[in-house]
Amino acid sequence: SGSVILELSKEKPQERHLDRQAAQFGAAVAKVEAELSAQIRYLTQVATGQPHEGSSYAARKSCQLALNRLDYARRRLGELARACEAMLEP
């Protein structure tokens, strides 16, 4: 963009050079925009807990849910054992 401004500041700017510089600047802006969009998509996935490339989120969540189910089953079995013991006491 600096060279475009420099060319425009001349009394007789060279249109071809100016067009080429403007096209290069536009291409650079498009590349930056594409990279930022990719980063935003990635960060959106990470922030919302969605599985993404390189993520172990799905495996961790599955493991945590299994541990929660195991803990629940242990508690229920403990309650059942206490109820059975209470019924068997004279």
Side-chain angles (χ1 to χ4, degrees):
S1 69
S3 53
V4 171
I5 293 172
L6 181 64
E7 191 66 33
L8 287 172
S9 68
K10 296 179 180 176
E11 280 187 38
K12 293 184 178 182
Q14 296 178 1
E15 286 185 41
R16 277 191 287 158
H17 183 67
L18 187 61
D19 290 341
R20 188 173 52 244
Q21 292 294 325
Q24 287 176 348
F25 179 72
V29 168
K31 182 180 177 187
V32 168
E33 183 179 7
E35 290 175 5
L36 284 174
S37 294
Q39 285 295 314
I40 289 170
R41 278 192 305 277
Y42 171 76
L43 291 173
T44 300
Q45 288 177 330
V46 171
T48 58
Q50 298 175 18
H52 55 89
E53 186 177 327
S55 170
S56 61
Y57 174 79
R60 282 185 295 151
K61 184 171 184 172
S62 179
C63 183
Q64 186 61 51
L65 289 174
L67 290 172
N68 289 346
R69 288 190 300 271
L70 179 62
D71 186 48
Y72 177 76
R74 282 183 181 151
R75 280 186 279 129
R76 294 291 292 157
L77 286 172
E79 292 171 6
L80 182 60
R82 283 189 293 281
C84 288
E85 288 172 0
M87 286 192 305
L88 294 175
E89 287 180 4

